[in-house]
Amino acid sequence: MTDNTMHIEKSRSWWNGSSTTWCGLTIPDPQKVWFPSLSGRPTCAACVANGGK
């Protein structure tokens, strides 16, 4: 089962392309969604609580 939660990117490494989210996850090969509000996926509550918008 896949996790369909949308995480908010805090920073991206220019060295290896990995992404760090506002909730602290490091995603090695992140997928970019241009219009997350239209995706229908729930946003990670921890990302929003830690300062992601």
Side-chain angles (χ1 to χ4, degrees):
M1 183 173 176
T2 331
D3 181 17
N4 285 327
T5 304
M6 296 285 293
H7 292 276
I8 303 170
E9 184 177 64
K10 182 178 182 182
S11 63
R12 187 179 293 243
S13 170
W14 60 269
W15 186 260
N16 63 8
S18 66
S19 174
T20 303
T21 64
W22 280 95
C23 65
L25 287 176
T26 300
I27 303 171
D29 186 24
Q31 301 290 320
K32 188 72 170 177
V33 176
W34 288 100
F35 300 103
S37 60
L38 299 177
S39 72
R41 298 179 181 174
T43 304
C44 172
C47 284
V48 174
N50 289 324
K53 296 185 178 176

